[in-house]
Amino acid sequence: MQNKIKNYPHTESPIYYLRTKKRLSKILGISIKDIQKLAGACDSYKEWDEINEKGKSRHIENPCYNLKVIQKRIADLLSRISPPDFLFCPVKRRSYITNAKQHVGQKHVVCLDIKEYFVSTSSKRVYWFFHSYMKCSEDVAGILTAISTIKGRLPTGSPLSPILSYFAHVDMWDEISRIAKDAQCIITVYMDDLTISGKEVPQWVMWEIRQQISRCGLKYHKEKNYRNGFSEITGIIVKDKLALPNRQHLKTHKLRKELTLAATQEQKSTILRKISGCKSQNNQVLASNDFI
């Protein structure tokens, strides 16, 4: 049986109070010279535009293999720091479903997104996290920032960006959590999605939250208000129980139609995998209702 890795406070992380480049090299398993080469190389990232199912373009900045290995190592170390109760992504054994589940039965729900979260997370904020929050020396914090960022901010395709985007704004999220809890509201954060709920979410609460977001140089958008016990949170319909939105059932219906028209076995296999994924998602949502 494999030993489970325990979470610990940030002050017990190997990164905390990291003062020498020699120790950093040992923790990351690579020489400082090689780290600096990767951080400063023009070809450390491959970039392209990716079009999603909705036709929306997203610019991808994918680190080269060697840099990605280092970034994954840092991400693994940060993911071992005990997450707050309100954080649901990226956290192991928490998901978009458990995120939505926290708000079942609430009369008033407010959702908003942080706009272009990774791109808006500056190198300055990343450096602040490593130097001020994790107490790394200036040169170590500078190296960690250099291998974590591109063009003065977080890259869109790095395995480190999801967890580091949270920690780079950990002071903001802690303050937002305090504001919500002082108003006896429930708060959850799923990457760039923020949800607040309660019997009533006072206007002053949202005003103070917006102020905190702006203070960190971030912008919010897509603010939505739901009332009377109905909401949609991270793609899940929330009432007295959880359910998938109708568009997801329609997607499955369309896939089944496509299956009947598929001309080759390869096409059939691709569509069947998609149908299986939709079925698995629906089963996960239904199973989560057993514990409400």
Side-chain angles (χ1 to χ4, degrees), residues 18-194:
L18 191 52
R19 312 300 291 181
T20 67
K21 290 186 284 187
K22 182 179 179 181
R23 177 63 180 161
L24 173 64
S25 174
K26 185 175 181 180
I27 289 173
L28 297 184
I30 185 173
S31 72
I32 291 298
K33 185 179 179 180
D34 287 340
I35 291 174
Q36 291 172 331
K37 281 182 180 179
L38 286 170
C42 297
D43 59 350
S44 291
Y45 290 84
K46 290 184 178 180
E47 301 184 41
W48 68 89
D49 291 325
E50 190 173 88
I51 309 298
N52 63 19
E53 292 181 354
K54 297 180 180 178
K56 187 177 179 181
S57 177
R58 178 172 178 256
H59 190 65
I60 304 297
E61 296 150 337
N62 188 45
C64 68
Y65 176 79
N66 290 333
L67 181 56
K68 186 175 286 187
V69 169
I70 301 173
Q71 292 176 344
K72 282 183 176 179
R73 172 60 176 160
I74 299 171
D76 179 61
L77 291 172
L78 294 181
S79 69
R80 298 182 194 182
I81 296 173
S82 299
D85 291 341
F86 63 80
L87 185 65
F88 282 80
C89 180
V91 178
K92 291 179 180 179
R93 293 180 292 279
R94 299 183 191 178
S95 69
Y96 66 100
I97 297 174
T98 55
N99 176 75
K101 190 175 179 179
Q102 309 308 305
H103 304 279
V104 169
Q106 300 304 309
K107 297 298 183 183
H108 186 193
V109 177
V110 182
C111 302
L112 58 81
D113 293 353
I114 304 296
K115 189 175 182 180
E116 297 181 332
Y117 194 26
F118 292 174
V119 176
S120 299
T121 300
S122 67
S123 297
K124 183 179 179 180
R125 265 272 150 189
V126 173
Y127 179 83
W128 168 86
F129 165 67
F130 286 123
H131 180 53
S132 298
Y133 190 81
M134 295 300 285
K135 307 299 182 185
C136 296
S137 63
E138 291 183 4
D139 55 349
V140 168
I143 293 170
L144 286 168
T145 300
I147 61 181
S148 304
T149 59
I150 180 176
K151 303 172 186 175
R153 37 77 174 175
L154 289 181
T156 56
S158 166
L160 176 54
S161 291
I163 188 69
L164 192 50
S165 61
Y166 164 72
F167 278 116
H169 301 101
V170 63
D171 57 333
M172 178 192 77
W173 290 122
D174 284 346
E175 183 61 18
I176 287 175
S177 174
R178 184 197 63 76
I179 292 167
K181 289 177 180 178
D182 282 353
Q184 297 184 327
C185 292
I186 295 170
I187 174 175
T188 61
V189 175
Y190 189 87
M191 195 71 73
D192 57 350
D193 292 332
L194 170 64

Side-chain angles (χ1 to χ4, degrees), residues 171-224:
D171 57 333
M172 178 192 77
W173 290 122
D174 284 346
E175 183 61 18
I176 287 175
S177 174
R178 184 197 63 76
I179 292 167
K181 289 177 180 178
D182 282 353
Q184 297 184 327
C185 292
I186 295 170
I187 174 175
T188 61
V189 175
Y190 189 87
M191 195 71 73
D192 57 350
D193 292 332
L194 170 64
T195 306
I196 311 286
S197 70
K199 291 182 179 179
E200 181 67 27
V201 180
Q203 289 187 9
W204 67 264
V205 168
M206 295 311 302
W207 184 86
E208 289 196 12
I209 287 174
R210 295 187 202 101
Q211 290 293 105
Q212 289 298 321
I213 293 171
S214 297
R215 179 184 64 82
C216 286
L218 300 174
K219 295 181 180 179
Y220 55 88
H221 67 151
K222 298 181 181 178
E223 183 170 336
K224 296 179 181 179

Side-chain angles (χ1 to χ4, degrees), residues 254-269:
K254 287 181 177 179
L255 285 169
R256 294 189 186 282
K257 276 193 171 183
E258 287 179 22
L259 184 61
T260 63
L261 301 173
T264 67
Q265 187 58 46
E266 184 180 355
Q267 289 175 335
K268 288 181 180 179
S269 296

